[in-house]
Amino acid sequence: DADNLIKSLGPENLSKKKAPVPSSWQNIKDKDNNFTLSAPESFKKKTHPNGAAVVFDEGSGELGITIEIIGSKLKTSENIEDFVKNSPLKMSGALLDTQSINAEGFAAAVQVFGTTTGESSQLFILRRGDLVWLLKVYPGNSLKLPIFNQILTTFKPYEEGG
């Protein structure tokens, strides 16, 4: 069940797999949310009022994509399920599915949410030791989801970003 899958994101379930990204991609860093990633030059970054970093490529509907990112260190008494539940990233609709995914250097899973009007979004949960990142990605029908999958291969904690 979904809770057990998220619970199983231990610090040791790390996968190894990397595809090269184009050299024209820019580095995007955010010290507050402890990450660095590479994205196409058309992507921009801003800060959401809730503290999340927002990396996005403008476009209406399925032509655009938005990635809201929160990164934090789990408190000693905090478990990952509580962190996800109490996150400022609010997901719309019902949780439809939770699956483990391969993200190099992280234990990772994705939750898929859907609304009754057919909109969907995904919440990627990445963990390394006591560090956790949540990446809310929408819309679920974005034509740029394959680009997001490539961006995810470049995602690293801030101090490893060079």
mmCIF file of all heavy atoms in Angstrom, residues 48 50-54 67-71 83-92 113 122-124 133-138:
data_model
loop_
_atom_site.group_PDB
_atom_site.id
_atom_site.type_symbol
_atom_site.label_atom_id
_atom_site.label_comp_id
_atom_site.label_asym_id
_atom_site.label_seq_id
_atom_site.Cartn_x
_atom_site.Cartn_y
_atom_site.Cartn_z
ATOM 1 N N HIS A 48 7.992 30.680 -4.629
ATOM 2 C CA HIS A 48 6.580 30.710 -4.249
ATOM 3 C C HIS A 48 6.470 31.348 -2.861
ATOM 4 O O HIS A 48 7.379 31.194 -2.053
ATOM 5 C CB HIS A 48 6.066 29.267 -4.220
ATOM 6 C CG HIS A 48 4.575 29.140 -4.147
ATOM 7 N ND1 HIS A 48 3.877 29.373 -2.995
ATOM 8 C CD2 HIS A 48 3.666 28.785 -5.080
ATOM 9 C CE1 HIS A 48 2.589 29.165 -3.223
ATOM 10 N NE2 HIS A 48 2.430 28.815 -4.483
ATOM 11 N N ASN A 50 5.056 30.282 -0.405
ATOM 12 C CA ASN A 50 5.158 29.240 0.627
ATOM 13 C C ASN A 50 6.603 28.774 0.842
ATOM 14 O O ASN A 50 6.861 27.871 1.628
ATOM 15 C CB ASN A 50 4.253 28.044 0.302
ATOM 16 C CG ASN A 50 4.694 27.282 -0.939
ATOM 17 O OD1 ASN A 50 5.798 27.438 -1.445
ATOM 18 N ND2 ASN A 50 3.807 26.436 -1.442
ATOM 19 N N GLY A 51 7.557 29.386 0.116
ATOM 20 C CA GLY A 51 8.965 29.019 0.270
ATOM 21 C C GLY A 51 9.473 28.043 -0.768
ATOM 22 O O GLY A 51 10.674 27.822 -0.881
ATOM 23 N N ALA A 52 8.577 27.447 -1.529
ATOM 24 C CA ALA A 52 9.008 26.489 -2.554
ATOM 25 C C ALA A 52 9.732 27.219 -3.690
ATOM 26 O O ALA A 52 9.389 28.349 -4.026
ATOM 27 C CB ALA A 52 7.808 25.731 -3.119
ATOM 28 N N ALA A 53 10.712 26.544 -4.261
ATOM 29 C CA ALA A 53 11.296 27.020 -5.505
ATOM 30 C C ALA A 53 10.380 26.561 -6.625
ATOM 31 O O ALA A 53 9.889 25.434 -6.613
ATOM 32 C CB ALA A 53 12.690 26.426 -5.693
ATOM 33 N N VAL A 54 10.123 27.437 -7.593
ATOM 34 C CA VAL A 54 9.248 27.096 -8.712
ATOM 35 C C VAL A 54 10.078 27.195 -9.989
ATOM 36 O O VAL A 54 10.574 28.257 -10.338
ATOM 37 C CB VAL A 54 8.034 28.047 -8.793
ATOM 38 C CG1 VAL A 54 7.107 27.620 -9.923
ATOM 39 C CG2 VAL A 54 7.282 28.077 -7.464
ATOM 40 N N ILE A 67 7.269 22.959 -11.915
ATOM 41 C CA ILE A 67 7.842 22.072 -10.913
ATOM 42 C C ILE A 67 8.019 22.903 -9.640
ATOM 43 O O ILE A 67 8.806 23.853 -9.639
ATOM 44 C CB ILE A 67 9.215 21.522 -11.363
ATOM 45 C CG1 ILE A 67 9.146 20.940 -12.781
ATOM 46 C CG2 ILE A 67 9.741 20.487 -10.369
ATOM 47 C CD1 ILE A 67 10.492 20.841 -13.483
ATOM 48 N N GLU A 68 7.263 22.591 -8.605
ATOM 49 C CA GLU A 68 7.435 23.257 -7.313
ATOM 50 C C GLU A 68 8.273 22.329 -6.442
ATOM 51 O O GLU A 68 7.969 21.135 -6.334
ATOM 52 C CB GLU A 68 6.079 23.518 -6.651
ATOM 53 C CG GLU A 68 5.218 24.508 -7.404
ATOM 54 C CD GLU A 68 3.872 24.743 -6.716
ATOM 55 O OE1 GLU A 68 3.751 24.484 -5.503
ATOM 56 O OE2 GLU A 68 2.944 25.174 -7.417
ATOM 57 N N ILE A 69 9.333 22.880 -5.827
ATOM 58 C CA ILE A 69 10.286 22.039 -5.104
ATOM 59 C C ILE A 69 10.477 22.545 -3.678
ATOM 60 O O ILE A 69 10.789 23.720 -3.467
ATOM 61 C CB ILE A 69 11.659 22.028 -5.822
ATOM 62 C CG1 ILE A 69 11.484 21.606 -7.291
ATOM 63 C CG2 ILE A 69 12.630 21.088 -5.091
ATOM 64 C CD1 ILE A 69 12.697 21.844 -8.160
ATOM 65 N N ILE A 70 10.295 21.646 -2.730
ATOM 66 C CA ILE A 70 10.582 21.912 -1.321
ATOM 67 C C ILE A 70 11.637 20.897 -0.893
ATOM 68 O O ILE A 70 11.499 19.703 -1.165
ATOM 69 C CB ILE A 70 9.308 21.708 -0.441
ATOM 70 C CG1 ILE A 70 8.308 22.833 -0.656
ATOM 71 C CG2 ILE A 70 9.675 21.578 1.030
ATOM 72 C CD1 ILE A 70 8.543 24.082 0.134
ATOM 73 N N GLY A 71 12.684 21.366 -0.235
ATOM 74 C CA GLY A 71 13.697 20.462 0.293
ATOM 75 C C GLY A 71 13.928 20.767 1.750
ATOM 76 O O GLY A 71 13.905 21.928 2.154
ATOM 77 N N PHE A 83 6.222 14.397 6.958
ATOM 78 C CA PHE A 83 6.815 15.475 6.171
ATOM 79 C C PHE A 83 5.985 15.725 4.911
ATOM 80 O O PHE A 83 5.671 16.863 4.571
ATOM 81 C CB PHE A 83 8.264 15.135 5.806
ATOM 82 C CG PHE A 83 8.931 16.198 4.985
ATOM 83 C CD1 PHE A 83 9.449 17.339 5.581
ATOM 84 C CD2 PHE A 83 9.031 16.075 3.604
ATOM 85 C CE1 PHE A 83 10.052 18.332 4.823
ATOM 86 C CE2 PHE A 83 9.635 17.058 2.843
ATOM 87 C CZ PHE A 83 10.150 18.193 3.452
ATOM 88 N N VAL A 84 5.611 14.650 4.225
ATOM 89 C CA VAL A 84 4.811 14.777 3.000
ATOM 90 C C VAL A 84 3.451 15.385 3.336
ATOM 91 O O VAL A 84 2.993 16.326 2.677
ATOM 92 C CB VAL A 84 4.642 13.407 2.302
ATOM 93 C CG1 VAL A 84 3.664 13.493 1.143
ATOM 94 C CG2 VAL A 84 6.001 12.886 1.813
ATOM 95 N N LYS A 85 2.814 14.873 4.401
ATOM 96 C CA LYS A 85 1.481 15.336 4.789
ATOM 97 C C LYS A 85 1.482 16.817 5.176
ATOM 98 O O LYS A 85 0.558 17.554 4.862
ATOM 99 C CB LYS A 85 0.987 14.486 5.961
ATOM 100 C CG LYS A 85 -0.514 14.403 6.066
ATOM 101 C CD LYS A 85 -0.930 13.498 7.223
ATOM 102 C CE LYS A 85 -0.465 12.061 6.997
ATOM 103 N NZ LYS A 85 -0.453 11.231 8.180
ATOM 104 N N ASN A 86 2.541 17.260 5.865
ATOM 105 C CA ASN A 86 2.597 18.634 6.379
ATOM 106 C C ASN A 86 3.280 19.609 5.426
ATOM 107 O O ASN A 86 3.481 20.770 5.760
ATOM 108 C CB ASN A 86 3.308 18.657 7.732
ATOM 109 C CG ASN A 86 2.583 17.797 8.742
ATOM 110 O OD1 ASN A 86 1.365 17.721 8.722
ATOM 111 N ND2 ASN A 86 3.324 17.122 9.601
ATOM 112 N N SER A 87 3.632 19.141 4.257
ATOM 113 C CA SER A 87 4.330 19.983 3.285
ATOM 114 C C SER A 87 3.448 21.141 2.820
ATOM 115 O O SER A 87 2.231 20.989 2.704
ATOM 116 C CB SER A 87 4.710 19.124 2.078
ATOM 117 O OG SER A 87 4.808 19.906 0.919
ATOM 118 N N PRO A 88 4.067 22.289 2.527
ATOM 119 C CA PRO A 88 3.278 23.390 1.951
ATOM 120 C C PRO A 88 2.833 23.123 0.511
ATOM 121 O O PRO A 88 2.028 23.868 -0.031
ATOM 122 C CB PRO A 88 4.225 24.584 2.017
ATOM 123 C CG PRO A 88 5.585 24.010 2.107
ATOM 124 C CD PRO A 88 5.457 22.669 2.772
ATOM 125 N N LEU A 89 3.346 22.068 -0.110
ATOM 126 C CA LEU A 89 2.909 21.732 -1.474
ATOM 127 C C LEU A 89 1.577 20.999 -1.374
ATOM 128 O O LEU A 89 1.521 19.869 -0.915
ATOM 129 C CB LEU A 89 3.932 20.838 -2.183
ATOM 130 C CG LEU A 89 5.335 21.403 -2.364
ATOM 131 C CD1 LEU A 89 6.173 20.441 -3.201
ATOM 132 C CD2 LEU A 89 5.305 22.770 -3.002
ATOM 133 N N LYS A 90 0.518 21.660 -1.769
ATOM 134 C CA LYS A 90 -0.808 21.054 -1.673
ATOM 135 C C LYS A 90 -1.200 20.460 -3.022
ATOM 136 O O LYS A 90 -1.144 21.130 -4.041
ATOM 137 C CB LYS A 90 -1.845 22.105 -1.241
ATOM 138 C CG LYS A 90 -1.576 22.678 0.151
ATOM 139 C CD LYS A 90 -1.537 21.577 1.215
ATOM 140 C CE LYS A 90 -1.076 22.073 2.565
ATOM 141 N NZ LYS A 90 -0.247 21.123 3.287
ATOM 142 N N MET A 91 -1.598 19.204 -2.993
ATOM 143 C CA MET A 91 -1.973 18.509 -4.213
ATOM 144 C C MET A 91 -3.487 18.584 -4.385
ATOM 145 O O MET A 91 -4.228 18.536 -3.412
ATOM 146 C CB MET A 91 -1.524 17.045 -4.138
ATOM 147 C CG MET A 91 -0.027 16.862 -3.878
ATOM 148 S SD MET A 91 1.056 17.648 -5.102
ATOM 149 C CE MET A 91 0.735 16.620 -6.540
ATOM 150 N N SER A 92 -3.924 18.719 -5.641
ATOM 151 C CA SER A 92 -5.364 18.784 -5.939
ATOM 152 C C SER A 92 -5.887 17.408 -6.269
ATOM 153 O O SER A 92 -5.220 16.627 -6.945
ATOM 154 C CB SER A 92 -5.605 19.688 -7.149
ATOM 155 O OG SER A 92 -5.041 20.942 -6.926
ATOM 156 N N PHE A 113 -1.943 12.297 -8.631
ATOM 157 C CA PHE A 113 -3.218 12.826 -8.145
ATOM 158 C C PHE A 113 -4.085 13.204 -9.335
ATOM 159 O O PHE A 113 -3.566 13.662 -10.358
ATOM 160 C CB PHE A 113 -2.977 14.083 -7.294
ATOM 161 C CG PHE A 113 -2.312 13.787 -5.986
ATOM 162 C CD1 PHE A 113 -0.940 13.618 -5.912
ATOM 163 C CD2 PHE A 113 -3.053 13.675 -4.823
ATOM 164 C CE1 PHE A 113 -0.311 13.333 -4.705
ATOM 165 C CE2 PHE A 113 -2.443 13.393 -3.610
ATOM 166 C CZ PHE A 113 -1.068 13.226 -3.549
ATOM 167 N N GLN A 122 1.634 15.303 -10.316
ATOM 168 C CA GLN A 122 2.455 14.261 -9.718
ATOM 169 C C GLN A 122 3.276 14.869 -8.600
ATOM 170 O O GLN A 122 3.728 16.019 -8.698
ATOM 171 C CB GLN A 122 3.389 13.665 -10.778
ATOM 172 C CG GLN A 122 2.626 12.996 -11.902
ATOM 173 C CD GLN A 122 3.534 12.603 -13.054
ATOM 174 O OE1 GLN A 122 4.460 13.316 -13.393
ATOM 175 N NE2 GLN A 122 3.266 11.460 -13.644
ATOM 176 N N LEU A 123 3.491 14.081 -7.534
ATOM 177 C CA LEU A 123 4.355 14.490 -6.447
ATOM 178 C C LEU A 123 5.491 13.485 -6.367
ATOM 179 O O LEU A 123 5.276 12.316 -6.059
ATOM 180 C CB LEU A 123 3.596 14.528 -5.113
ATOM 181 C CG LEU A 123 4.429 15.015 -3.913
ATOM 182 C CD1 LEU A 123 4.815 16.489 -4.085
ATOM 183 C CD2 LEU A 123 3.672 14.812 -2.618
ATOM 184 N N PHE A 124 6.698 13.960 -6.705
ATOM 185 C CA PHE A 124 7.892 13.119 -6.624
ATOM 186 C C PHE A 124 8.499 13.310 -5.246
ATOM 187 O O PHE A 124 8.645 14.443 -4.779
ATOM 188 C CB PHE A 124 8.893 13.501 -7.721
ATOM 189 C CG PHE A 124 8.445 13.087 -9.088
ATOM 190 C CD1 PHE A 124 7.519 13.853 -9.787
ATOM 191 C CD2 PHE A 124 8.925 11.929 -9.676
ATOM 192 C CE1 PHE A 124 7.085 13.467 -11.050
ATOM 193 C CE2 PHE A 124 8.489 11.531 -10.943
ATOM 194 C CZ PHE A 124 7.573 12.310 -11.624
ATOM 195 N N TRP A 133 13.212 15.755 -0.446
ATOM 196 C CA TRP A 133 12.723 16.759 -1.393
ATOM 197 C C TRP A 133 11.381 16.304 -1.928
ATOM 198 O O TRP A 133 11.178 15.128 -2.211
ATOM 199 C CB TRP A 133 13.679 16.918 -2.576
ATOM 200 C CG TRP A 133 15.004 17.456 -2.207
ATOM 201 C CD1 TRP A 133 15.402 18.774 -2.246
ATOM 202 C CD2 TRP A 133 16.137 16.712 -1.763
ATOM 203 N NE1 TRP A 133 16.707 18.868 -1.819
ATOM 204 C CE2 TRP A 133 17.180 17.626 -1.517
ATOM 205 C CE3 TRP A 133 16.366 15.363 -1.514
ATOM 206 C CZ2 TRP A 133 18.434 17.240 -1.065
ATOM 207 C CZ3 TRP A 133 17.610 14.969 -1.061
ATOM 208 C CH2 TRP A 133 18.633 15.902 -0.843
ATOM 209 N N LEU A 134 10.472 17.265 -2.099
ATOM 210 C CA LEU A 134 9.196 17.013 -2.748
ATOM 211 C C LEU A 134 9.152 17.863 -4.003
ATOM 212 O O LEU A 134 9.453 19.063 -3.958
ATOM 213 C CB LEU A 134 8.034 17.408 -1.828
ATOM 214 C CG LEU A 134 7.986 16.706 -0.470
ATOM 215 C CD1 LEU A 134 6.806 17.221 0.344
ATOM 216 C CD2 LEU A 134 7.903 15.200 -0.630
ATOM 217 N N LEU A 135 8.795 17.251 -5.118
ATOM 218 C CA LEU A 135 8.689 17.965 -6.388
ATOM 219 C C LEU A 135 7.268 17.773 -6.907
ATOM 220 O O LEU A 135 6.876 16.655 -7.261
ATOM 221 C CB LEU A 135 9.681 17.424 -7.416
ATOM 222 C CG LEU A 135 11.169 17.682 -7.161
ATOM 223 C CD1 LEU A 135 11.730 16.725 -6.116
ATOM 224 C CD2 LEU A 135 11.967 17.539 -8.448
ATOM 225 N N LYS A 136 6.501 18.848 -6.908
ATOM 226 C CA LYS A 136 5.132 18.809 -7.435
ATOM 227 C C LYS A 136 5.219 19.206 -8.905
ATOM 228 O O LYS A 136 5.704 20.297 -9.228
ATOM 229 C CB LYS A 136 4.252 19.788 -6.662
ATOM 230 C CG LYS A 136 2.835 19.896 -7.199
ATOM 231 C CD LYS A 136 2.033 20.929 -6.418
ATOM 232 C CE LYS A 136 0.644 21.119 -6.969
ATOM 233 N NZ LYS A 136 -0.119 22.129 -6.207
ATOM 234 N N VAL A 137 4.758 18.330 -9.782
ATOM 235 C CA VAL A 137 4.884 18.545 -11.223
ATOM 236 C C VAL A 137 3.490 18.548 -11.855
ATOM 237 O O VAL A 137 2.703 17.630 -11.639
ATOM 238 C CB VAL A 137 5.745 17.420 -11.858
ATOM 239 C CG1 VAL A 137 5.916 17.652 -13.355
ATOM 240 C CG2 VAL A 137 7.106 17.345 -11.173
ATOM 241 N N TYR A 138 3.217 19.602 -12.609
ATOM 242 C CA TYR A 138 1.905 19.708 -13.266
ATOM 243 C C TYR A 138 2.021 20.592 -14.492
ATOM 244 O O TYR A 138 2.983 21.344 -14.621
ATOM 245 C CB TYR A 138 0.848 20.243 -12.282
ATOM 246 C CG TYR A 138 1.180 21.590 -11.667
ATOM 247 C CD1 TYR A 138 0.720 22.774 -12.232
ATOM 248 C CD2 TYR A 138 1.968 21.679 -10.518
ATOM 249 C CE1 TYR A 138 1.036 24.012 -11.676
ATOM 250 C CE2 TYR A 138 2.284 22.903 -9.954
ATOM 251 C CZ TYR A 138 1.815 24.065 -10.536
ATOM 252 O OH TYR A 138 2.141 25.286 -10.001
#
